[in-house]
Amino acid sequence: MPHPADARRLVPRTDFVLAEPAVAQAVSRLGHESVKAAVQAAQALARAGEISPDDVVASTLAALPERSTTLTPVLNATGVVIHTNLGRAPLSDAAVEAMRAAAGTVDVELDLATGRRSTRGRGTLAALLELLPEAEAALVVNNGAAALVLATTALAAGREVVVSRGEMVEIGDGFRLPDLIASAGARLREVGTTNRTTLADYEAAIGPETGCVLKVHPSNFRVEGFTSAVPVAALAALGPPVVHDIGSGLLRPHRLLPDEPDAARSLADGAAVVTCSGDKLLGGPQAGLVLGRTDTVTRLRRHPLARAVRADKTTLAALEATLRGPRAPVWDALEADPDRLRARCDALVAALPEGLGTTVPADGVVGGGGAPGHTLPGWAVALPESYAAGLRLQPRPVLARVERAHCLVDLRCIPEAADPLVAQAIRTVVG
Ligand SMILES: *Cc1c(COP(=O)(O)O)cnc(C)c1O
């Protein structure tokens, strides 16, 4: 270590450090200002004699974050397929690629053949209508809640939205659908009771003040026992347009989730529009879909609120790629073969110190407000409970689930190629 006075003289200049290839590369990733601040911090350490002047570059690089965002990619070992706190549906590679391509300048609202303005995201809308011929028209907005508020506002602002008391749901984090609808100016006309609502309840409430009838899928809870609700077909026969919030975005029935409503059946039964999320069972980006009759979708599209909730170009791109492209990762997780999951767990146990982990039966769930009460049979690796916190704090965090006083590592939602990363993370916690 040179004498402090010499050290000060030997400290490399800022432009010299910034010109180092690794540092220049960091500038392109993180931006000039944040890298310069790291260089200056390293120079200060060298001047104080705390590091050698030769180590300024290394110290700069060591202090820099890996990404220009604080969002940290994590491995979802919870067994909850659509985990809202973990960003819901992970996108397919095709959707990520589409998003990247659309991130620059794109023809999102321009017809290249004529050079004129055209329908925003028309390719995405076409993909939706091809997959769902039951819908005459479609609209994409920011999320499911926006789709619902736009529908009820466009159809019933200043008038009434007739809704069953059994469907007045809170979607999470304190947000309640009734408040959401009322906030945009429609009045709620509640009918029936929490567990039972009949067609006569709706009939008694419908009148000149009715803007629409709303049916909401109680997607995050289940009422059992003495219950009844009125199906879409019966509601549609009442006259006013029926808005059906199906929640999770299943376009057609799926054998794995028999109780989950889907857009095709709802529209065939006479719903004027169906609303749903793009990032639940559809497996795409955060988005809200409105699917249904041309006259109703047009009313929504022309409403001023539509402009406030319109989807971004990268969302439209990722959604189209999800609809047209390979199967979305959420479906790999939902349909994961239990035997294969067990074999992966056994391989993981074998990669750990003797006796640390055990393969145990563990059910996954759909999550994200979808198919409540429905479980997905599978397996997990049980570790001592204390591992959960350690795994969460790894550079590539692994989110496990704590159950029955164990830390359960469920591989259902983890791409098989990432299994070695999970093993590595667990071994690091041991060490
Ligand atoms: C999830 C859900 C919503 C909200 O959708 P977001 O895309 O989260 O805004 C609304 N209604 C139902 C029934 C849902 O399941």
Side-chain angles (χ1 to χ4, degrees):
M1 181 74 57
H3 186 272
D6 297 334
R8 261 191 297 282
R9 248 182 300 117
L10 294 171
V11 172
R13 282 170 33 188
T14 308
D15 52 359
F16 177 83
V17 180
L18 286 171
E20 279 288 317
V23 180
Q25 208 245 330
V27 169
S28 69
R29 196 160 37 91
L30 303 168
H32 187 263
E33 288 310 309
S34 54
V35 176
K36 194 170 132 192
V39 172
Q40 287 166 341
Q43 288 168 323
L45 288 177
R47 279 188 210 103
E50 289 180 34
I51 61 170
S52 154
D54 296 338
D55 290 339
V56 168
V57 169
S59 170
T60 299
L61 292 172
L64 288 172
E66 225 174 288
R67 290 168 291 272
S68 56
T69 163
T70 53
L71 284 176
T72 306
V74 306
L75 291 164
N76 175 8
T78 62
V80 180
V81 177
I82 302 164
H83 199 305
T84 297
N85 298 159
L86 300 182
R88 291 198 184 153
L91 297 178
S92 66
D93 290 345
V96 171
E97 190 39 54
M99 229 169 178
R100 178 191 293 276
T105 321
V106 281
D107 60 340
V108 66
E109 220 172 290
L110 186 91
D111 182 344
L112 291 174
T114 63
R116 297 228 173 85
R117 181 182 186 160
S118 76
T119 308
R120 187 176 176 83
R122 60 209 169 279
T124 311
L125 301 178
L128 277 168
L129 300 182
E130 278 163 36
L131 282 176
L132 192 69
E134 290 85 350
E136 296 170 359
L139 185 63
V140 180
V141 295
N142 277 337
N143 52 41
L148 174 62
V149 172
L150 177 61
T152 54
T153 306
L155 301 176
R159 298 202 292 154
E160 290 179 350
V161 176
V162 178
V163 63
S164 162
R165 289 197 172 87
E167 298 172 4
M168 308 270 283
V169 302
E170 175 172 316
I171 49 180
D173 197 25
F175 288 101
R176 297 173 170 177
L177 292 187
D179 299 341
L180 211 61
I181 292 163
S183 72
R187 294 194 304 280
L188 279 179
R189 177 74 182 263
E190 302 168 23
V191 299
T193 61
T194 312
N195 56 333
R196 287 176 70 84
T197 302
T198 64
L199 188 58
D201 293 325
Y202 284 96
E203 277 170 338
I206 285 174
E209 280 301 290
T210 308
C212 65
V213 174
L214 171 64
K215 188 168 175 64
V216 180
H217 176 47
S219 55
N220 50 10
F221 68 100
R222 214 155 68 161
V223 185
E224 288 183 39
F226 186 55
T227 65
S228 81
V230 181
V232 171
L235 294 178
L238 293 173
V242 174
V243 174
H244 189 188
D245 175 12
I246 60 168
S248 60
L250 205 56
L251 295 184
R252 353 203 114 260
H254 195 281
R255 56 171 174 80
L256 205 63
L257 307 169
D259 299 328
E260 199 61 19
D262 64 275
R265 276 186 300 190
S266 178
L267 292 173
D269 285 348
V273 285
V274 162
T275 65
C276 61
S277 300
D279 55 354
K280 293 180 180 173
L281 292 177
L282 204 72
Q286 180 187 303
L289 311 185
V290 180
L291 302 153
R293 292 208 307 251
T294 304
D295 58 347
T296 315
V297 172
T298 304
R299 271 176 80 180
L300 270 57
R301 181 179 290 123
R302 296 206 176 127
H303 192 276
L305 191 58
R307 180 60 179 77
V309 294
R310 78 171 187 190
D312 150 67
K313 60 187 177 179
T314 57
T315 299
L316 292 166
L319 182 57
E320 182 174 356
T322 302
L323 294 166
R324 295 190 192 276
R327 190 164 84 140
V330 287
W331 285 99
D332 290 337
L334 288 168
E335 294 180 341
D337 172 27
D339 292 337
R340 185 71 211 145
L341 286 173
R342 185 177 197 175
R344 288 169 65 192
C345 286
D346 287 343
L348 178 56
V349 167
L352 299 178
E354 183 82 35
L356 177 61
T358 331
T359 301
V360 297
D363 289 342
V365 294
V366 177
H374 188 89
T375 53
L376 307 162
W379 299 83
V381 173
L383 301 169
E385 184 175 343
S386 61
Y387 273 68
L391 285 171
R392 210 171 54 233
L393 298 171
Q394 293 299 303
R396 180 79 189 264
V398 177
L399 272 290
R401 131 171 137 245
V402 173
E403 200 177 284
R404 291 168 272 164
H406 280 92
C407 167
L408 296 186
V409 175
D410 189 326
L411 300 174
R412 172 182 300 279
C413 308
I414 292 178
E416 202 164 328
D419 286 0
L421 295 178
V422 178
Q424 179 56 36
I426 298 171
R427 286 193 301 261
T428 309
V429 174
V430 184

